[in-house]
Amino acid sequence: MRRRRFFIFAILGLALSIFCFACTSINREATQTPQTPVTQQTNKPRVANLPPETEAIVKSAGANGLFDPPRGDVRLAVISDLNSAYGSTDYDPEVDKGINLLPFWQPDMVVCSGDMVAGQKPSLTEAQIKAMWAAFDVHVAAPLRKANLPYGFTVGNHDASSAKGVGGNFLFQQERDLASDYWNNPEHDPGIEFIDKNEFPFFYTFKHKDIFFMAWDGSSHIIPPEKLAWIEKALASPEAQQAKMRILLSHLPLYAVAIGRDQPGDVMENADQLRVMLEKNNVHTYISGHHHAYYPAHRGKLQLLHMGILGSGPRPLVDGNLPPTKAITVVDINFNSPELTTYTTYDIRTLKLIENEQLPRFLTGHNGIVLRRDVEYQDLKPEEKATCEAKIGVKLCTNQ
C-alpha cells in the first residue's frame, strides 16, 4: 500500500513539475518583446524625452508625425551652407531648426560641407570676422559640443576662400587665418578622431566608426599639385584602405547641378580626373555644398551627395521643375548592404520628405551629366539621351 502511494505521489509530482515549467515558458513567451532590428521602421512617434524645442518641432510636422527613418550601423546628419548675407552674425531660422532637430534623429556624427559663416568680402574687419565665428559657435558648434556630437566639416568660400590673386597670394588671407585660429582653439574642438591634422581645417583626415573621412579645401575650384599628392597618399594609406567606407568632404562639387552655379569656377577643375582618382582609391561618397540645391547623384562608381542649404539663397536645379528648397539629409550607413548608404532628406521648412521621384532622373550641367543615384546610364531612354546630347554633347553625356 505504501509503495503504491509512493508511486502515485511521484507521478503526481513529476506531472506538476512539467506543468509548472510549461506555465513559466508560456508566461515568458507572452511577456517578452522580440528585439526590434536596428533597421526596422517602428512608426511609433519618438516624442518622449526630447528637449522641449525638439518636441515642438516634431509635433509641428502634423498628425502623422515626423518620419523616423530605419537606423543604419552609422548615422550621419548632413548640413551645408548655413550663412546669410556678407558679414552677417544672424542665421536663418532653418539653421536653428535643423540643429534643434538633431536629438530626434540621434546621429552618431554631424557633417557639414562648408559655408558656416558669411565671409569672402575684402572690407570685413578682423572684429567682424571674429564676430561671425562667435555667432556660429552660439548657433551651431556649442550645441553640438553640449550634445557630445562629433562635427566633421570642410571649409567653404565664405569661411576661408582659397582664391588666389595674380601673384599667387590668397585674396582672403585674413579670413583663412581667423578660420584656422577658431578651429585650432582647444575650446572649439570638433570632437573627431583625427588621423592627419597637420593642415586642419583645410586638408585633414579623420575616422569614425570604421569610416575614413577626408576633407579637402574645395573653397575654390583648384587644388594645387602638391595637395593632390597628399590626397592620393592619404587615400592609399592603410587607415583609408582598411576602413569599411571612405567619404570625401568638399565645398565645391565635381559637376554642376544648380542654376546660377552652372559655370567654371563653381565646380572643381578637372572633375573627371579627380573622380577617376577617387574611384581608384575606393572612395564611396563625395559630399559637397555651394550649389544650394539637393540632388542625390552618381557618376561612374562615385556617389555624389549635393547638399541642400539651411542658410540663405536656395537655388533651383539645372533641370526639372522642383522649386528651390532648404533641406537637411540623414545618411544611414549599413555596411552589409550593397547600396551602403540610404538618404532621408527633409524639406526643413515643411518637414516633408524629398523623394527621389520628385527629382529629375539626370542633370546636364556644363561639365557633364550626373545621374540620380537610383538611375543607371543604360536605363536612360533614347529620348533622354538625345536631350542630353543636344544640350551638352555626346562626350559629356556618357557616364564613364
Side-chain angles (χ1 to χ4, degrees), residues 81-345:
D81 295 87
L82 315 179
N83 61 297
S84 296
Y86 289 114
S88 177
T89 55
D90 295 324
Y91 285 86
D92 285 4
E94 291 80 13
V95 173
D96 294 325
K97 188 175 183 180
I99 297 301
N100 285 331
L101 269 174
L102 293 176
F104 174 80
W105 294 307
Q106 299 178 347
D108 297 296
M109 182 178 194
V110 177
V111 171
C112 180
S113 47
D115 278 1
M116 297 166 278
V117 299
Q120 203 180 24
K121 189 175 183 181
S123 62
L124 291 174
T125 65
E126 178 178 344
Q128 287 175 307
I129 298 168
K130 287 182 176 180
M132 290 191 300
W133 282 109
F136 166 78
D137 198 72
V138 169
H139 285 268
V140 180
L144 297 183
R145 291 195 301 270
K146 184 179 179 180
N148 293 317
L149 281 174
Y151 181 63
F153 66 91
T154 187
V155 293
N157 56 293
H158 290 293
D159 303 319
S161 173
S162 58
K164 293 183 177 181
V166 292
N169 58 306
F170 289 115
L171 295 175
F172 298 93
Q173 185 67 63
Q174 180 177 236
E175 293 185 10
R176 290 177 68 82
D177 291 343
L178 293 175
S180 180
D181 289 347
Y182 172 85
W183 283 113
N184 283 288
N185 182 335
E187 294 181 1
H188 303 147
D189 183 354
I192 57 179
E193 186 177 353
F194 289 100
I195 297 173
D196 185 345
K197 193 185 178 184
N198 188 46
E199 294 194 50
F200 176 73
F202 304 110
F203 291 89
Y204 69 102
T205 57
F206 61 100
K207 60 183 178 180
H208 188 79
K209 293 192 173 182
D210 293 321
I211 304 172
F212 176 92
F213 291 85
M214 170 180 284
W216 74 25
D217 188 355
S219 62
S220 69
H221 64 293
I222 297 176
I223 295 179
E226 67 275 14
K227 302 304 182 189
L228 282 174
W230 173 86
I231 290 166
E232 292 208 67
K233 182 178 179 180
L235 290 176
S237 68
E239 293 91 343
Q241 291 303 308
Q242 291 172 11
K244 292 182 179 178
M245 183 184 184
R246 285 148 293 281
I247 296 176
L248 191 139
L249 307 178
S250 174
H251 185 57
L252 268 62
L254 294 178
Y255 302 95
V257 298
I259 291 174
R261 296 287 160 87
D262 184 14
Q263 57 198 1
D266 282 318
V267 295
M268 298 304 296
E269 190 175 69
N270 301 321
D272 284 336
Q273 291 90 327
L274 290 176
R275 176 175 58 85
V276 169
M277 180 266 291
L278 296 175
E279 289 174 338
K280 181 184 71 173
N281 288 285
N282 301 309
V283 173
H284 183 273
T285 302
Y286 182 109
I287 301 176
S288 62
H290 190 62
H291 281 218
H292 299 190
Y294 169 67
Y295 191 72
H298 72 100
R299 184 175 169 97
K301 299 177 182 178
L302 184 63
Q303 294 291 315
L304 304 167
L305 174 52
H306 303 91
M307 271 305 302
I309 185 174
L310 287 183
S312 299
R315 295 175 178 273
L317 296 168
V318 293
D319 300 307
N321 54 12
L322 189 72
T325 56
K326 295 189 176 189
I328 187 169
T329 296
V330 174
V331 177
D332 281 289
I333 298 164
N334 293 285
F335 292 124
N336 293 325
S337 168
E339 293 80 17
L340 197 56
T341 55
T342 300
Y343 302 163
T344 307
T345 298

Side-chain angles (χ1 to χ4, degrees), residues 17-33:
S17 298
I18 294 172
F19 176 76
C20 290
F21 178 79
C23 289
T24 302
S25 299
I26 291 170
N27 184 60
R28 185 184 298 120
E29 290 174 5
T31 58
Q32 188 178 48
T33 301

